[in-house]
Amino acid sequence: MEEIIPGSIVTLHFKLGLEDGTQAFDTEDEPLTCTMGDGTLQPGLELALYGLKEGDEQTITLDPEHAWGERNPELLREMPRSDFPGSSSLEAGQILAFSLPGGEETTGTVLAVEDDMVLVDFNHPLSGQNVVFHARILKITNPGATTNA
């Protein structure tokens, strides 16, 4: 039976959550298919999958270093409230999409709303936290691998 190695094409269901049980992400409605090493999954998540076989399940808790890193205080930004059209509905906890100068998009979490300023956190929402990763392997294909008949 094939096992996950670098370059494997893997179809899996996975869940990401916090140690307190808060669920952050779940692929239960539609499995994810990715190639190990292509950047789809965080490196720490990939490391947790290497060596697993079809049908295997694994739950592992990753520290921030192996998940989304520590929180970076430089990614907190005070922005003029005038930068937010329709800002009357802004409130702490909202996650908003922002366009970057190069055309890419990123997200930020509103931390505070003042009369003329909005404090936005551009850290990944899971940064600085231990992340519980549960994976169930559905299918593995190892391109270029030979099978003995």
Side-chain angles (χ1 to χ4, degrees):
M1 183 178 265
E2 295 191 61
E3 69 179 45
I4 298 174
I5 59 175
S8 293
I9 300 169
V10 181
T11 301
L12 72 154
H13 279 297
F14 73 93
K15 297 177 185 179
L16 294 172
L18 302 178
E19 290 178 306
D20 68 3
T22 302
Q23 201 68 26
F25 187 79
D26 186 348
T27 66
E28 198 57 42
D29 290 337
E30 184 175 338
L32 172 74
T33 298
C34 64
T35 301
M36 298 299 285
D38 73 356
T40 299
L41 296 174
Q42 290 288 103
L45 301 182
E46 284 193 355
L47 284 173
L49 298 177
Y50 287 127
L52 297 180
K53 297 175 174 58
E54 287 182 18
D56 284 353
E57 288 192 47
Q58 174 155 278
T59 300
I60 187 169
T61 299
L62 301 167
D63 61 21
E65 178 184 351
H66 294 98
W68 275 268
E70 294 294 343
R71 299 191 61 70
N72 181 350
E74 293 179 15
L75 293 178
L76 298 178
R77 296 276 192 266
E78 283 190 350
M79 302 174 69
R81 190 161 179 165
S82 61
D83 285 355
F84 299 87
S87 63
S88 62
S89 63
L90 275 179
E91 56 186 55
Q94 281 182 297
I95 298 174
L96 303 174
F98 293 85
S99 296
L100 298 173
E104 307 93 42
E105 284 202 356
T106 190
T107 58
T109 303
V110 175
L111 296 182
V113 180
E114 303 291 328
D115 289 336
D116 57 351
M117 293 297 267
V118 177
L119 180 61
V120 180
D121 183 356
F122 288 99
N123 283 287
H124 188 282
L126 296 176
S127 65
Q129 302 187 63
N130 290 339
V131 175
V132 179
F133 174 53
H134 175 83
R136 182 168 38 101
I137 308 305
L138 303 175
K139 182 178 178 185
I140 302 167
T141 304
N142 288 322
T146 58
T147 57
N148 295 332

